[in-house]
């Protein structure tokens, strides 16, 4: 895990990020949409790298003092190594530096590992979004106050 570094996503990472997205989500973003995020003034996009290989990524949108985690994904063969945690922790630090005070996300009610991760980082469940996902699955809406972190 010490060999894993967190870096800002660049256009050179898009192919790997897209492949991770395709294997992680029922509905994946296109390469073009991912590339747009790299150049967006209101998004934070990070990758986890090991020896130059993309192991995972995170997309966050922010406006004023609030941010939303849009996607977090890790290559299947690299899961359970703390990479998602490392991405989240680095994102929180960078968001705090931007003056962001509140971070929100949605997580599938069936995704217990992600829920445990978010709870361990201090997120609390503030609601439920019924039929949030394209397959009709509900999502928990979670919140983290990062101003004091």
């Amino acid at each position: 895990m010490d060999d894993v570094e967190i870096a800002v996503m660049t256009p050179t990472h898009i192919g790997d990020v897209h492949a991770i997205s395709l294997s992680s989500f029922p509905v994946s973003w296109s390469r073009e949409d991912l590339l747009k995020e790299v150049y967006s003034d209101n998004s934070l996009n990070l990758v986890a790298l090991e020896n130059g290989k993309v192991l995972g990524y995170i997309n966050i949108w922010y406006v004023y003092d609030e941010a939303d985690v849009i996607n977090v994904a890790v290559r299947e063969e690299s899961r359970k190594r703390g990479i998602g945690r490392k991405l989240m922790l680095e994102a929180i630090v960078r968001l705090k530096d931007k003056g962001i005070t509140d971070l929100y996300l949605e997580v599938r009610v069936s995704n217990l590992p992600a829920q445990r991760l978010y709870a361990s980082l201090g997120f609390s469940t503030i609601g439920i979004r019924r039929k949030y996902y394209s397959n009709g699955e509900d999502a928990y809406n979670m919140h983290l106050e990062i101003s004091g972190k």
Side-chain angles (χ1 to χ4, degrees):
M1 186 61 179
D2 291 335
D3 294 342
V4 176
E5 68 170 301
I6 306 299
V8 173
M9 188 184 301
T10 68
T12 61
H13 300 127
I14 296 302
D16 289 337
V17 167
H18 186 248
I20 295 168
S21 178
L22 285 170
S23 67
S24 299
F25 303 113
V27 178
S28 175
W29 286 23
S30 69
R31 287 175 186 260
E32 294 77 19
D33 287 339
L34 289 166
L35 188 59
K36 286 178 190 174
E37 289 304 308
V38 168
Y39 296 109
S40 171
D41 291 335
N42 293 92
S43 66
L44 174 65
N45 304 285
L46 303 174
V47 290
L49 302 170
E50 186 174 54
N51 299 320
K53 180 180 179 181
V54 177
L55 302 183
Y57 72 96
I58 187 168
N59 302 109
I60 298 175
W61 292 343
Y62 58 88
V63 178
Y64 302 112
D65 60 351
E66 293 186 355
D68 288 288
V69 176
I70 305 304
N71 284 314
V72 180
V74 175
R75 284 183 188 276
E76 189 171 351
E77 66 272 16
S78 298
R79 292 179 186 158
K80 298 183 181 174
R81 292 181 50 199
I83 294 168
R85 173 179 297 280
K86 194 165 185 174
L87 282 162
M88 289 293 297
L89 289 170
E90 181 65 22
I92 291 166
V93 168
R94 290 177 187 234
L95 290 168
K96 183 180 178 190
D97 289 347
K98 292 179 179 297
I100 304 298
T101 58
D102 294 283
L103 181 58
Y104 297 90
L105 59 82
E106 284 77 30
V107 60
R108 291 179 185 276
V109 296
S110 64
N111 192 343
L112 298 177
Q115 291 171 39
R116 284 191 293 270
L117 168 63
Y118 302 140
S120 76
L121 294 171
F123 281 84
S124 57
T125 301
I126 58 172
I128 190 164
R129 296 186 189 268
R130 301 281 177 206
K131 299 182 181 179
Y132 182 77
Y133 293 100
S134 60
N135 68 351
E137 185 175 358
D138 296 342
Y140 289 122
N141 185 236
M142 301 184 82
H143 170 257
L144 175 69
E145 184 177 325
I146 61 174
S147 58
K149 293 263 179 202

